[in-house]
Structure formats: C-alpha cells, structure tokens
Amino acid sequence: MNVGVAHSEVNPNTRVMNSRGIWLTYLLLTIVLHIVLLSIPFFTVPLVWTLTNVIHNLVMYLFLHTVKGTPFETPDQGKARLLTHWEQMDYGVQFTSSRKFLTISPIVLYILASFYTKYDPTHFLINTSSLLSVLLPKLPQFHGVRIFGINKY
C-alpha cells in the first residue's frame, strides 16, 4: 500500500463510481431512506414509496446533473469546471457499468414504487415525472447540452 502517494487520476471524479463498495453503499442508503420514511407513523405505504422515489431522484439529479466541476485541484486546465459529475464519469464514455447501474437503479425504484402504489394515477404521474427528470439527462444525446441555458455556467 502506498501511503501518502498521490493518485494517478487527472480527475478523481471520473472513477469514483467504480471504487470498491460504492454500489453497495448506494443501495444501502436508498434502503435506509425507505426505512426512515416507513418509520414515520402517519405516512401510508404508497406515500412512502412515492417519497422514496422522488427524494432519491431529486438527490441523484442534484448530485449527478446539477453540480459542476470537481472538489479536487486538477491539472486538466479547467476542463472539468464546466462538466457535471455525470459528464465527467468514466471520462465521458457512454454505457459503462457505472452508468448502466445509475440508469437502471431509478427504473427499478420506479417499478417498485408503481407496484406498491397500485398504479394510482396521482402517484403514477408523480413517479413518472420524477423518473423522466432523472433519466433524460443521462441520455447520450444530452451529453454537454444545457436546455434553455440552465446550468450553462
């Protein structure tokens, strides 16, 4: 083990989702969120599933598609400054295992939320709009695209 040795990555944001245990941590945090919401006495099961889905998708949207740059000092001449975390991940290569995992997990959560809400129209509309808001920015066609100039700078 090399203690005190700098990492070899130009931008550590590119490989963070491939590091050991990150997928398990992600799943456990989602389960913990769901259990915490279930422990609130006056929340019904359909409401908890919808809240789990919406909160998960909101947090993932904020962390992956809104926050730009990197928290590290990088020698890349500021290339990462204008890119979101999703665009920096795996150096922009599409359809890697990390990107597939982060694309499939909201879909699975959406299917679970739709099933446990018994496809109630109100919950279904909320869950569907939440899913679309987190899936559309992940499409390769939207790599580097800023709709209406939002989050351009």
Side-chain angles (χ1 to χ4, degrees):
M1 181 160 106
N2 297 330
V3 178
V5 176
H7 53 79
S8 61
E9 295 290 332
V10 173
N11 182 357
N13 270 1
T14 59
R15 297 282 181 206
V16 72
M17 289 308 290
N18 293 328
S19 52
R20 179 192 277 168
I22 196 76
W23 291 7
L24 180 62
T25 304
Y26 172 83
L27 290 174
L28 287 176
L29 286 174
T30 305
I31 291 169
V32 165
L33 169 67
H34 185 68
I35 290 172
V36 166
L37 290 174
L38 273 175
S39 68
I40 299 174
F42 53 88
F43 282 180
T44 62
V45 172
L47 179 64
V48 167
W49 275 105
T50 299
L51 283 175
T52 302
N53 188 30
V54 169
I55 291 171
H56 169 269
N57 289 344
L58 178 68
V59 169
M60 294 313 294
Y61 179 79
L62 290 175
F63 283 145
L64 291 179
H65 304 293
T66 302
V67 177
K68 295 165 82 175
T70 178
F72 313 102
E73 183 68 37
T74 59
D76 65 355
Q77 301 291 322
K79 291 178 185 173
R81 186 173 53 87
L82 297 176
L83 296 176
T84 63
H85 186 80
W86 180 262
E87 294 164 346
Q88 293 175 41
M89 195 182 321
D90 298 324
Y91 295 104
V93 176
Q94 300 295 324
F95 305 116
T96 60
S97 57
S98 299
R99 287 178 182 249
K100 288 177 186 177
F101 174 75
L102 290 173
T103 302
I104 290 172
S105 56
I107 295 171
V108 170
L109 190 59
Y110 168 77
I111 291 170
L112 287 170
S114 296
F115 176 76
Y116 283 106
T117 58
K118 298 183 174 100
Y119 302 98
D120 178 61
T122 305
H123 290 281
F124 190 75
L125 181 66
I126 293 169
N127 287 326
T128 303
S129 61
S130 176
L131 177 71
L132 289 177
S133 71
V134 81
L135 273 189
L136 288 178
K138 287 179 171 56
L139 294 174
Q141 293 83 357
F142 288 109
H143 185 81
V145 174
R146 306 291 182 257
I147 306 273
F148 305 121
I150 297 172
N151 201 15
K152 186 174 180 180
Y153 299 106

